[in-house]
Amino acid sequence: MLKSIIIRNLAVVEDVEVSFTDKMNVITGETGSGKSLLIDAIKLALGSRADKSLIRTGEKECFILAEFIFDNNFEINKILNDLNISDTEDNCLIIKRTITHNSSRNHVNDEPVTIQTLRKIGKFIVDMHGPYDHQSLLEDNKQIEILDSFGSCKKTLLEYQNVYKEYSELKNMEKNFESESKDGVNQEIEFLEFQINELNRLDLSVAEEEMIKNEHEVSANAHQVLMLSNEITEILNNGEDCAYDKLVASQNAVNKLGNLIPESKNWSNQINEAVNIILDTVSEIEKCIGSIDASSERLSWLDERLATYQNIKRKYKSSIDDILQKKKDWNKKLEYLKNIDKNIIKIRKEIKQKFEILINKGNKLSLERESSADNLSELITKELVDLGFENAFFDVKISKIEPFKLGINKVEFGFTPNAGEEMRDLKLVASSGEMSRVMLAVKNVLSKQDDIPILIFDEIDANIGGKIANSVGNKLQKISKNHQLICITHLPQVASFGSNHIFVSKSVVNGRTYSKMKVLDSNERPEEIARMLSGDKESKISIEHAKSLLIDES
């Protein structure tokens, strides 16, 4: 459940803290007082897009802290672990969100997270229903979604969708095959062969390019290389007073110390090692210098070869490694195009096989839907009777159609509000008030199926009044036995069913607007219900009426 929320500098809300119970929480207040801001704050805590205009005028940031607590039956730690977030303490979840004009900082139990992570958490813990959600009932795909949710068909639907994706990809391949004209294919084959033959003729490699660069650098500077190398060998071994001669002289002197200082034997070995190092180094230098081809012919060849690499890279705007990979891809495509007729036959065979699997999966899904449709119809009809449709009937009709992403069925919700009338498509017969009640009936049925702990209803009772309002309030209260319920309402009958009543008011102080949110006590609550009944919270008649509602519905 949502235990409490702190809101600072959100539009006209400066600083408020609101607490909730685990049952039915109702939010009331005059139009424009800021009731929706409380729902907006919850949405922001759960990752909704931050509109910077919501930051209170003159403030640098907006801050929201929402504290949730769950019982042991709800596996909040598993949800968090799947998102790489540490376990909670005592199943308590604290979400903080700070929104500035340039950024958004988000934390779950003091761990920084992304907006996407907040949204994923929100999908598991809160189900929100706005004032226009009932319109989605008229969408064909939404009706399928409702039936699948009720019948627990999601696993079978996923199996079907995996096959449908593979089938669609094969159909797209077939379409591409058929759209390619024979002339176009031949032209592409000629072009690919030209590119491949060019690269084969040039015989390029990453290793050779590196070698060419290095040798070209040396050859282009051959004179300086030879001069410096000769200078080195002169100093080490070939010149007068060279290092080698000096070391040999020192070796003779050390040998004479042999009988006088025992340690001199080690000196002799070290000098001998230095002599060998000089000789080896000189040998390597001379070998390397001797291998340098400084001829004009060799340099000319290196120039041409290096230009070849540079030109081909410029042509394809890629490195040699990437060009060689493109060559592999071109060879594969060339093979594919040369055998396009065979590939079409092969693809069509695969399509036929995949279609058979798809239909089998679709039939399995269809059977699951059919087995739950009557039960869903019956349960929603019972809910509608409780909501004032004494002679109404709700029907779920399933028919077979061509395969698409949601199966091989068309699902149609039928509705008749009165006895003796013909069952017709829901979108053709229901008014907005009737649709609100139908949506509430559907949500109540589905609430028994899902395990989302928190349900938020934002004016779902719009366009409802009178006796029906009492039925709606009673129905919402029943839902709150299995879920925490947070409900914005304008109906006193609905508000009277709440276990926790949050009153939202607005005032102007020194030219600034402030929205306040307060949990009403048992003495304050009748006054708010009276205001909702007659607009006058001090009217004795209205207060008595309000008290009777609270007593009757307690």
Side-chain angles (χ1 to χ4, degrees), residues 24-29 461 469-470 472-474 476-477 487-502 525 528-529 531-532 549-550 553:
M24 181 174 172
N25 301 267
V26 295
I27 303 167
T28 67
D461 53 11
N470 192 65
V472 170
N474 185 51
L476 289 169
Q477 188 184 57
C487 177
I488 291 181
T489 182
H490 290 289
L491 299 178
Q493 299 94 323
V494 173
S496 67
F497 280 90
S499 62
N500 187 46
H501 193 147
I502 300 162
R525 199 171 175 202
E528 170 60 6
I529 299 294
R531 182 199 65 79
M532 298 175 73
L549 287 175
L550 291 169
E553 311 305 342

PDB file of all heavy atoms in Angstrom, residues 24-29 461 469-470 472-474 476-477 487-502 525 528-529 531-532 549-550 553:
ATOM      1  N   MET A  24     -10.103   2.028   1.432  1.00  0.00           N
ATOM      2  CA  MET A  24     -10.610   2.975   0.428  1.00  0.00           C
ATOM      3  C   MET A  24     -10.316   4.408   0.868  1.00  0.00           C
ATOM      4  O   MET A  24     -10.864   4.901   1.855  1.00  0.00           O
ATOM      5  CB  MET A  24     -12.107   2.772   0.218  1.00  0.00           C
ATOM      6  CG  MET A  24     -12.715   3.694  -0.826  1.00  0.00           C
ATOM      7  SD  MET A  24     -14.448   3.261  -1.123  1.00  0.00           S
ATOM      8  CE  MET A  24     -14.976   4.618  -2.163  1.00  0.00           C
ATOM      9  N   ASN A  25      -9.432   5.077   0.134  1.00  0.00           N
ATOM     10  CA  ASN A  25      -9.073   6.460   0.404  1.00  0.00           C
ATOM     11  C   ASN A  25      -9.781   7.347  -0.617  1.00  0.00           C
ATOM     12  O   ASN A  25      -9.582   7.173  -1.828  1.00  0.00           O
ATOM     13  CB  ASN A  25      -7.566   6.660   0.287  1.00  0.00           C
ATOM     14  CG  ASN A  25      -6.782   5.785   1.247  1.00  0.00           C
ATOM     15  OD1 ASN A  25      -6.455   6.201   2.355  1.00  0.00           O
ATOM     16  ND2 ASN A  25      -6.470   4.562   0.818  1.00  0.00           N
ATOM     17  N   VAL A  26     -10.603   8.291  -0.154  1.00  0.00           N
ATOM     18  CA  VAL A  26     -11.306   9.174  -1.071  1.00  0.00           C
ATOM     19  C   VAL A  26     -10.690  10.564  -1.009  1.00  0.00           C
ATOM     20  O   VAL A  26     -10.244  11.025   0.046  1.00  0.00           O
ATOM     21  CB  VAL A  26     -12.820   9.241  -0.764  1.00  0.00           C
ATOM     22  CG1 VAL A  26     -13.463   7.891  -1.008  1.00  0.00           C
ATOM     23  CG2 VAL A  26     -13.070   9.718   0.653  1.00  0.00           C
ATOM     24  N   ILE A  27     -10.644  11.227  -2.168  1.00  0.00           N
ATOM     25  CA  ILE A  27     -10.077  12.570  -2.278  1.00  0.00           C
ATOM     26  C   ILE A  27     -11.179  13.477  -2.807  1.00  0.00           C
ATOM     27  O   ILE A  27     -11.728  13.235  -3.892  1.00  0.00           O
ATOM     28  CB  ILE A  27      -8.874  12.590  -3.231  1.00  0.00           C
ATOM     29  CG1 ILE A  27      -7.807  11.592  -2.780  1.00  0.00           C
ATOM     30  CG2 ILE A  27      -8.281  13.992  -3.320  1.00  0.00           C
ATOM     31  CD1 ILE A  27      -6.737  11.331  -3.827  1.00  0.00           C
ATOM     32  N   THR A  28     -11.517  14.518  -2.056  1.00  0.00           N
ATOM     33  CA  THR A  28     -12.573  15.432  -2.471  1.00  0.00           C
ATOM     34  C   THR A  28     -12.090  16.875  -2.341  1.00  0.00           C
ATOM     35  O   THR A  28     -11.055  17.155  -1.744  1.00  0.00           O
ATOM     36  CB  THR A  28     -13.851  15.242  -1.630  1.00  0.00           C
ATOM     37  OG1 THR A  28     -13.583  15.648  -0.270  1.00  0.00           O
ATOM     38  CG2 THR A  28     -14.303  13.791  -1.646  1.00  0.00           C
ATOM     39  N   GLY A  29     -12.870  17.775  -2.889  1.00  0.00           N
ATOM     40  CA  GLY A  29     -12.548  19.198  -2.841  1.00  0.00           C
ATOM     41  C   GLY A  29     -13.216  19.892  -4.007  1.00  0.00           C
ATOM     42  O   GLY A  29     -13.668  19.251  -4.963  1.00  0.00           O
ATOM     43  N   ASP A 461     -16.194   7.752 -11.534  1.00  0.00           N
ATOM     44  CA  ASP A 461     -17.639   7.848 -11.328  1.00  0.00           C
ATOM     45  C   ASP A 461     -18.257   9.058 -12.033  1.00  0.00           C
ATOM     46  O   ASP A 461     -19.364   9.490 -11.708  1.00  0.00           O
ATOM     47  CB  ASP A 461     -17.957   7.909  -9.832  1.00  0.00           C
ATOM     48  CG  ASP A 461     -17.170   9.006  -9.117  1.00  0.00           C
ATOM     49  OD1 ASP A 461     -16.552   9.839  -9.808  1.00  0.00           O
ATOM     50  OD2 ASP A 461     -17.161   9.022  -7.878  1.00  0.00           O
ATOM     51  N   ALA A 469     -25.064   6.263  -7.687  1.00  0.00           N
ATOM     52  CA  ALA A 469     -23.845   6.678  -7.006  1.00  0.00           C
ATOM     53  C   ALA A 469     -23.624   5.848  -5.743  1.00  0.00           C
ATOM     54  O   ALA A 469     -22.495   5.491  -5.397  1.00  0.00           O
ATOM     55  CB  ALA A 469     -23.909   8.159  -6.659  1.00  0.00           C
ATOM     56  N   ASN A 470     -24.690   5.525  -5.071  1.00  0.00           N
ATOM     57  CA  ASN A 470     -24.595   4.699  -3.860  1.00  0.00           C
ATOM     58  C   ASN A 470     -24.095   3.300  -4.213  1.00  0.00           C
ATOM     59  O   ASN A 470     -23.259   2.717  -3.504  1.00  0.00           O
ATOM     60  CB  ASN A 470     -25.958   4.633  -3.180  1.00  0.00           C
ATOM     61  CG  ASN A 470     -25.861   4.045  -1.778  1.00  0.00           C
ATOM     62  OD1 ASN A 470     -25.247   4.646  -0.904  1.00  0.00           O
ATOM     63  ND2 ASN A 470     -26.477   2.889  -1.580  1.00  0.00           N
ATOM     64  N   VAL A 472     -22.256   2.541  -6.811  1.00  0.00           N
ATOM     65  CA  VAL A 472     -20.845   2.663  -7.195  1.00  0.00           C
ATOM     66  C   VAL A 472     -19.961   2.721  -5.965  1.00  0.00           C
ATOM     67  O   VAL A 472     -18.922   2.058  -5.883  1.00  0.00           O
ATOM     68  CB  VAL A 472     -20.639   3.924  -8.072  1.00  0.00           C
ATOM     69  CG1 VAL A 472     -19.146   4.205  -8.268  1.00  0.00           C
ATOM     70  CG2 VAL A 472     -21.318   3.750  -9.411  1.00  0.00           C
ATOM     71  N   GLY A 473     -20.356   3.518  -5.001  1.00  0.00           N
ATOM     72  CA  GLY A 473     -19.576   3.606  -3.763  1.00  0.00           C
ATOM     73  C   GLY A 473     -19.465   2.269  -3.064  1.00  0.00           C
ATOM     74  O   GLY A 473     -18.398   1.888  -2.567  1.00  0.00           O
ATOM     75  N   ASN A 474     -20.562   1.561  -3.026  1.00  0.00           N
ATOM     76  CA  ASN A 474     -20.561   0.236  -2.397  1.00  0.00           C
ATOM     77  C   ASN A 474     -19.633  -0.717  -3.133  1.00  0.00           C
ATOM     78  O   ASN A 474     -18.893  -1.510  -2.531  1.00  0.00           O
ATOM     79  CB  ASN A 474     -21.988  -0.311  -2.375  1.00  0.00           C
ATOM     80  CG  ASN A 474     -22.079  -1.628  -1.622  1.00  0.00           C
ATOM     81  OD1 ASN A 474     -21.622  -1.750  -0.495  1.00  0.00           O
ATOM     82  ND2 ASN A 474     -22.676  -2.622  -2.267  1.00  0.00           N
ATOM     83  N   LEU A 476     -16.997   0.118  -5.011  1.00  0.00           N
ATOM     84  CA  LEU A 476     -15.620   0.521  -4.758  1.00  0.00           C
ATOM     85  C   LEU A 476     -15.143   0.040  -3.394  1.00  0.00           C
ATOM     86  O   LEU A 476     -13.997  -0.396  -3.228  1.00  0.00           O
ATOM     87  CB  LEU A 476     -15.491   2.043  -4.852  1.00  0.00           C
ATOM     88  CG  LEU A 476     -15.606   2.643  -6.257  1.00  0.00           C
ATOM     89  CD1 LEU A 476     -15.723   4.154  -6.186  1.00  0.00           C
ATOM     90  CD2 LEU A 476     -14.405   2.244  -7.113  1.00  0.00           C
ATOM     91  N   GLN A 477     -16.027   0.104  -2.426  1.00  0.00           N
ATOM     92  CA  GLN A 477     -15.657  -0.361  -1.084  1.00  0.00           C
ATOM     93  C   GLN A 477     -15.358  -1.861  -1.080  1.00  0.00           C
ATOM     94  O   GLN A 477     -14.432  -2.324  -0.408  1.00  0.00           O
ATOM     95  CB  GLN A 477     -16.779  -0.046  -0.094  1.00  0.00           C
ATOM     96  CG  GLN A 477     -16.382  -0.329   1.365  1.00  0.00           C
ATOM     97  CD  GLN A 477     -17.531  -0.097   2.320  1.00  0.00           C
ATOM     98  OE1 GLN A 477     -18.594  -0.704   2.167  1.00  0.00           O
ATOM     99  NE2 GLN A 477     -17.339   0.783   3.293  1.00  0.00           N
ATOM    100  N   CYS A 487      -9.235   7.174  -4.577  1.00  0.00           N
ATOM    101  CA  CYS A 487     -10.307   7.554  -5.496  1.00  0.00           C
ATOM    102  C   CYS A 487     -10.630   9.036  -5.390  1.00  0.00           C
ATOM    103  O   CYS A 487     -11.006   9.518  -4.320  1.00  0.00           O
ATOM    104  CB  CYS A 487     -11.548   6.715  -5.176  1.00  0.00           C
ATOM    105  SG  CYS A 487     -12.998   7.121  -6.154  1.00  0.00           S
ATOM    106  N   ILE A 488     -10.480   9.772  -6.507  1.00  0.00           N
ATOM    107  CA  ILE A 488     -10.977  11.147  -6.586  1.00  0.00           C
ATOM    108  C   ILE A 488     -12.456  11.092  -6.970  1.00  0.00           C
ATOM    109  O   ILE A 488     -12.822  10.430  -7.940  1.00  0.00           O
ATOM    110  CB  ILE A 488     -10.200  11.963  -7.632  1.00  0.00           C
ATOM    111  CG1 ILE A 488      -8.771  12.219  -7.166  1.00  0.00           C
ATOM    112  CG2 ILE A 488     -10.905  13.292  -7.901  1.00  0.00           C
ATOM    113  CD1 ILE A 488      -7.947  13.036  -8.150  1.00  0.00           C
ATOM    114  N   THR A 489     -13.291  11.781  -6.225  1.00  0.00           N
ATOM    115  CA  THR A 489     -14.727  11.728  -6.515  1.00  0.00           C
ATOM    116  C   THR A 489     -15.393  13.071  -6.232  1.00  0.00           C
ATOM    117  O   THR A 489     -14.933  13.850  -5.387  1.00  0.00           O
ATOM    118  CB  THR A 489     -15.421  10.629  -5.684  1.00  0.00           C
ATOM    119  OG1 THR A 489     -16.806  10.585  -6.029  1.00  0.00           O
ATOM    120  CG2 THR A 489     -15.270  10.871  -4.192  1.00  0.00           C
ATOM    121  N   HIS A 490     -16.471  13.349  -6.971  1.00  0.00           N
ATOM    122  CA  HIS A 490     -17.315  14.522  -6.718  1.00  0.00           C
ATOM    123  C   HIS A 490     -18.644  14.101  -6.078  1.00  0.00           C
ATOM    124  O   HIS A 490     -19.496  14.951  -5.820  1.00  0.00           O
ATOM    125  CB  HIS A 490     -17.606  15.254  -8.038  1.00  0.00           C
ATOM    126  CG  HIS A 490     -16.410  15.944  -8.609  1.00  0.00           C
ATOM    127  ND1 HIS A 490     -15.859  17.075  -8.061  1.00  0.00           N
ATOM    128  CD2 HIS A 490     -15.641  15.656  -9.693  1.00  0.00           C
ATOM    129  CE1 HIS A 490     -14.825  17.466  -8.781  1.00  0.00           C
ATOM    130  NE2 HIS A 490     -14.660  16.619  -9.776  1.00  0.00           N
ATOM    131  N   LEU A 491     -18.810  12.802  -5.859  1.00  0.00           N
ATOM    132  CA  LEU A 491     -20.093  12.286  -5.375  1.00  0.00           C
ATOM    133  C   LEU A 491     -20.048  12.054  -3.867  1.00  0.00           C
ATOM    134  O   LEU A 491     -19.219  11.289  -3.373  1.00  0.00           O
ATOM    135  CB  LEU A 491     -20.429  10.974  -6.087  1.00  0.00           C
ATOM    136  CG  LEU A 491     -20.582  11.052  -7.613  1.00  0.00           C
ATOM    137  CD1 LEU A 491     -20.857   9.673  -8.176  1.00  0.00           C
ATOM    138  CD2 LEU A 491     -21.692  12.021  -7.995  1.00  0.00           C
ATOM    139  N   PRO A 492     -20.940  12.697  -3.113  1.00  0.00           N
ATOM    140  CA  PRO A 492     -20.963  12.501  -1.654  1.00  0.00           C
ATOM    141  C   PRO A 492     -21.274  11.061  -1.276  1.00  0.00           C
ATOM    142  O   PRO A 492     -20.761  10.553  -0.273  1.00  0.00           O
ATOM    143  CB  PRO A 492     -22.058  13.462  -1.177  1.00  0.00           C
ATOM    144  CG  PRO A 492     -22.906  13.715  -2.390  1.00  0.00           C
ATOM    145  CD  PRO A 492     -21.981  13.660  -3.555  1.00  0.00           C
ATOM    146  N   GLN A 493     -22.126  10.399  -2.097  1.00  0.00           N
ATOM    147  CA  GLN A 493     -22.457   9.007  -1.782  1.00  0.00           C
ATOM    148  C   GLN A 493     -21.210   8.119  -1.854  1.00  0.00           C
ATOM    149  O   GLN A 493     -21.030   7.225  -1.031  1.00  0.00           O
ATOM    150  CB  GLN A 493     -23.527   8.476  -2.748  1.00  0.00           C
ATOM    151  CG  GLN A 493     -24.837   9.237  -2.695  1.00  0.00           C
ATOM    152  CD  GLN A 493     -24.907  10.340  -3.740  1.00  0.00           C
ATOM    153  OE1 GLN A 493     -23.903  10.987  -4.029  1.00  0.00           O
ATOM    154  NE2 GLN A 493     -26.107  10.563  -4.280  1.00  0.00           N
ATOM    155  N   VAL A 494     -20.369   8.378  -2.872  1.00  0.00           N
ATOM    156  CA  VAL A 494     -19.131   7.600  -3.012  1.00  0.00           C
ATOM    157  C   VAL A 494     -18.156   7.955  -1.906  1.00  0.00           C
ATOM    158  O   VAL A 494     -17.541   7.082  -1.285  1.00  0.00           O
ATOM    159  CB  VAL A 494     -18.501   7.848  -4.402  1.00  0.00           C
ATOM    160  CG1 VAL A 494     -17.123   7.182  -4.482  1.00  0.00           C
ATOM    161  CG2 VAL A 494     -19.404   7.316  -5.500  1.00  0.00           C
ATOM    162  N   ALA A 495     -18.009   9.256  -1.627  1.00  0.00           N
ATOM    163  CA  ALA A 495     -17.062   9.704  -0.602  1.00  0.00           C
ATOM    164  C   ALA A 495     -17.384   9.128   0.760  1.00  0.00           C
ATOM    165  O   ALA A 495     -16.491   8.866   1.579  1.00  0.00           O
ATOM    166  CB  ALA A 495     -17.047  11.228  -0.546  1.00  0.00           C
ATOM    167  N   SER A 496     -18.673   8.904   1.035  1.00  0.00           N
ATOM    168  CA  SER A 496     -19.072   8.411   2.356  1.00  0.00           C
ATOM    169  C   SER A 496     -18.596   6.991   2.625  1.00  0.00           C
ATOM    170  O   SER A 496     -18.558   6.545   3.773  1.00  0.00           O
ATOM    171  CB  SER A 496     -20.600   8.481   2.496  1.00  0.00           C
ATOM    172  OG  SER A 496     -21.225   7.566   1.606  1.00  0.00           O
ATOM    173  N   PHE A 497     -18.214   6.261   1.572  1.00  0.00           N
ATOM    174  CA  PHE A 497     -17.761   4.883   1.750  1.00  0.00           C
ATOM    175  C   PHE A 497     -16.265   4.806   2.119  1.00  0.00           C
ATOM    176  O   PHE A 497     -15.768   3.734   2.440  1.00  0.00           O
ATOM    177  CB  PHE A 497     -17.988   4.069   0.472  1.00  0.00           C
ATOM    178  CG  PHE A 497     -19.395   3.600   0.295  1.00  0.00           C
ATOM    179  CD1 PHE A 497     -20.317   4.380  -0.389  1.00  0.00           C
ATOM    180  CD2 PHE A 497     -19.810   2.381   0.826  1.00  0.00           C
ATOM    181  CE1 PHE A 497     -21.623   3.943  -0.565  1.00  0.00           C
ATOM    182  CE2 PHE A 497     -21.115   1.944   0.657  1.00  0.00           C
ATOM    183  CZ  PHE A 497     -22.034   2.726  -0.037  1.00  0.00           C
ATOM    184  N   GLY A 498     -15.562   5.913   2.055  1.00  0.00           N
ATOM    185  CA  GLY A 498     -14.119   5.871   2.287  1.00  0.00           C
ATOM    186  C   GLY A 498     -13.754   5.575   3.725  1.00  0.00           C
ATOM    187  O   GLY A 498     -14.437   5.975   4.668  1.00  0.00           O
ATOM    188  N   SER A 499     -12.642   4.883   3.904  1.00  0.00           N
ATOM    189  CA  SER A 499     -12.106   4.651   5.252  1.00  0.00           C
ATOM    190  C   SER A 499     -11.139   5.769   5.634  1.00  0.00           C
ATOM    191  O   SER A 499     -10.783   5.923   6.795  1.00  0.00           O
ATOM    192  CB  SER A 499     -11.370   3.314   5.303  1.00  0.00           C
ATOM    193  OG  SER A 499     -10.265   3.312   4.409  1.00  0.00           O
ATOM    194  N   ASN A 500     -10.708   6.529   4.627  1.00  0.00           N
ATOM    195  CA  ASN A 500      -9.795   7.652   4.836  1.00  0.00           C
ATOM    196  C   ASN A 500     -10.216   8.753   3.875  1.00  0.00           C
ATOM    197  O   ASN A 500     -10.338   8.524   2.670  1.00  0.00           O
ATOM    198  CB  ASN A 500      -8.355   7.214   4.555  1.00  0.00           C
ATOM    199  CG  ASN A 500      -7.334   8.276   4.915  1.00  0.00           C
ATOM    200  OD1 ASN A 500      -7.395   8.869   5.983  1.00  0.00           O
ATOM    201  ND2 ASN A 500      -6.380   8.513   4.030  1.00  0.00           N
ATOM    202  N   HIS A 501     -10.466   9.941   4.411  1.00  0.00           N
ATOM    203  CA  HIS A 501     -11.016  11.026   3.594  1.00  0.00           C
ATOM    204  C   HIS A 501     -10.004  12.169   3.543  1.00  0.00           C
ATOM    205  O   HIS A 501      -9.692  12.787   4.558  1.00  0.00           O
ATOM    206  CB  HIS A 501     -12.339  11.514   4.184  1.00  0.00           C
ATOM    207  CG  HIS A 501     -13.115  12.393   3.264  1.00  0.00           C
ATOM    208  ND1 HIS A 501     -14.502  12.409   3.235  1.00  0.00           N
ATOM    209  CD2 HIS A 501     -12.735  13.305   2.328  1.00  0.00           C
ATOM    210  CE1 HIS A 501     -14.922  13.275   2.334  1.00  0.00           C
ATOM    211  NE2 HIS A 501     -13.852  13.853   1.780  1.00  0.00           N
ATOM    212  N   ILE A 502      -9.499  12.456   2.323  1.00  0.00           N
ATOM    213  CA  ILE A 502      -8.511  13.512   2.128  1.00  0.00           C
ATOM    214  C   ILE A 502      -9.212  14.687   1.462  1.00  0.00           C
ATOM    215  O   ILE A 502      -9.778  14.565   0.368  1.00  0.00           O
ATOM    216  CB  ILE A 502      -7.345  13.014   1.252  1.00  0.00           C
ATOM    217  CG1 ILE A 502      -6.672  11.821   1.917  1.00  0.00           C
ATOM    218  CG2 ILE A 502      -6.344  14.132   0.993  1.00  0.00           C
ATOM    219  CD1 ILE A 502      -5.815  11.010   0.978  1.00  0.00           C
ATOM    220  N   ARG A 525     -15.419  15.467   8.761  1.00  0.00           N
ATOM    221  CA  ARG A 525     -15.884  14.759   7.570  1.00  0.00           C
ATOM    222  C   ARG A 525     -17.346  15.056   7.224  1.00  0.00           C
ATOM    223  O   ARG A 525     -17.674  15.269   6.041  1.00  0.00           O
ATOM    224  CB  ARG A 525     -15.672  13.254   7.774  1.00  0.00           C
ATOM    225  CG  ARG A 525     -15.692  12.502   6.467  1.00  0.00           C
ATOM    226  CD  ARG A 525     -15.275  11.076   6.639  1.00  0.00           C
ATOM    227  NE  ARG A 525     -15.418  10.366   5.388  1.00  0.00           N
ATOM    228  CZ  ARG A 525     -15.537   9.055   5.290  1.00  0.00           C
ATOM    229  NH1 ARG A 525     -15.502   8.309   6.379  1.00  0.00           N
ATOM    230  NH2 ARG A 525     -15.681   8.482   4.116  1.00  0.00           N
ATOM    231  N   GLU A 528     -17.663  18.197   5.098  1.00  0.00           N
ATOM    232  CA  GLU A 528     -17.268  18.080   3.694  1.00  0.00           C
ATOM    233  C   GLU A 528     -18.332  17.340   2.894  1.00  0.00           C
ATOM    234  O   GLU A 528     -18.649  17.719   1.771  1.00  0.00           O
ATOM    235  CB  GLU A 528     -15.911  17.378   3.590  1.00  0.00           C
ATOM    236  CG  GLU A 528     -15.485  16.985   2.183  1.00  0.00           C
ATOM    237  CD  GLU A 528     -15.366  18.157   1.217  1.00  0.00           C
ATOM    238  OE1 GLU A 528     -15.494  19.324   1.636  1.00  0.00           O
ATOM    239  OE2 GLU A 528     -15.153  17.908   0.004  1.00  0.00           O
ATOM    240  N   ILE A 529     -18.898  16.277   3.484  1.00  0.00           N
ATOM    241  CA  ILE A 529     -19.974  15.562   2.784  1.00  0.00           C
ATOM    242  C   ILE A 529     -21.162  16.489   2.574  1.00  0.00           C
ATOM    243  O   ILE A 529     -21.800  16.493   1.509  1.00  0.00           O
ATOM    244  CB  ILE A 529     -20.407  14.305   3.577  1.00  0.00           C
ATOM    245  CG1 ILE A 529     -19.235  13.327   3.731  1.00  0.00           C
ATOM    246  CG2 ILE A 529     -21.582  13.614   2.893  1.00  0.00           C
ATOM    247  CD1 ILE A 529     -18.761  12.712   2.450  1.00  0.00           C
ATOM    248  N   ARG A 531     -21.054  19.774   2.250  1.00  0.00           N
ATOM    249  CA  ARG A 531     -20.704  20.694   1.162  1.00  0.00           C
ATOM    250  C   ARG A 531     -20.926  20.033  -0.189  1.00  0.00           C
ATOM    251  O   ARG A 531     -21.434  20.665  -1.131  1.00  0.00           O
ATOM    252  CB  ARG A 531     -19.239  21.127   1.293  1.00  0.00           C
ATOM    253  CG  ARG A 531     -18.812  22.118   0.217  1.00  0.00           C
ATOM    254  CD  ARG A 531     -17.301  22.181   0.083  1.00  0.00           C
ATOM    255  NE  ARG A 531     -16.736  20.926  -0.391  1.00  0.00           N
ATOM    256  CZ  ARG A 531     -16.740  20.532  -1.657  1.00  0.00           C
ATOM    257  NH1 ARG A 531     -17.330  21.272  -2.589  1.00  0.00           N
ATOM    258  NH2 ARG A 531     -16.185  19.389  -2.004  1.00  0.00           N
ATOM    259  N   MET A 532     -20.574  18.756  -0.313  1.00  0.00           N
ATOM    260  CA  MET A 532     -20.738  18.040  -1.563  1.00  0.00           C
ATOM    261  C   MET A 532     -22.223  17.835  -1.887  1.00  0.00           C
ATOM    262  O   MET A 532     -22.613  17.808  -3.064  1.00  0.00           O
ATOM    263  CB  MET A 532     -20.016  16.687  -1.490  1.00  0.00           C
ATOM    264  CG  MET A 532     -18.503  16.803  -1.291  1.00  0.00           C
ATOM    265  SD  MET A 532     -17.689  15.207  -1.051  1.00  0.00           S
ATOM    266  CE  MET A 532     -17.776  14.540  -2.718  1.00  0.00           C
ATOM    267  N   LEU A 549     -25.508   9.350   5.860  1.00  0.00           N
ATOM    268  CA  LEU A 549     -24.754   8.592   4.855  1.00  0.00           C
ATOM    269  C   LEU A 549     -23.576   7.880   5.498  1.00  0.00           C
ATOM    270  O   LEU A 549     -23.310   6.704   5.227  1.00  0.00           O
ATOM    271  CB  LEU A 549     -24.247   9.532   3.744  1.00  0.00           C
ATOM    272  CG  LEU A 549     -25.260  10.071   2.742  1.00  0.00           C
ATOM    273  CD1 LEU A 549     -24.592  11.073   1.804  1.00  0.00           C
ATOM    274  CD2 LEU A 549     -25.880   8.931   1.941  1.00  0.00           C
ATOM    275  N   LEU A 550     -22.870   8.580   6.354  1.00  0.00           N
ATOM    276  CA  LEU A 550     -21.687   8.005   6.989  1.00  0.00           C
ATOM    277  C   LEU A 550     -22.058   6.876   7.932  1.00  0.00           C
ATOM    278  O   LEU A 550     -21.359   5.865   8.026  1.00  0.00           O
ATOM    279  CB  LEU A 550     -20.919   9.099   7.749  1.00  0.00           C
ATOM    280  CG  LEU A 550     -20.241  10.149   6.852  1.00  0.00           C
ATOM    281  CD1 LEU A 550     -19.757  11.326   7.684  1.00  0.00           C
ATOM    282  CD2 LEU A 550     -19.085   9.513   6.095  1.00  0.00           C
ATOM    283  N   GLU A 553     -23.250   3.844   5.706  1.00  0.00           N
ATOM    284  CA  GLU A 553     -22.247   3.177   4.894  1.00  0.00           C
ATOM    285  C   GLU A 553     -21.004   2.805   5.688  1.00  0.00           C
ATOM    286  O   GLU A 553     -20.000   2.406   5.135  1.00  0.00           O
ATOM    287  CB  GLU A 553     -21.837   4.094   3.723  1.00  0.00           C
ATOM    288  CG  GLU A 553     -22.993   4.687   2.946  1.00  0.00           C
ATOM    289  CD  GLU A 553     -23.953   3.650   2.403  1.00  0.00           C
ATOM    290  OE1 GLU A 553     -23.591   2.472   2.321  1.00  0.00           O
ATOM    291  OE2 GLU A 553     -25.073   4.021   2.037  1.00  0.00           O
TER     292      GLU A 553
END
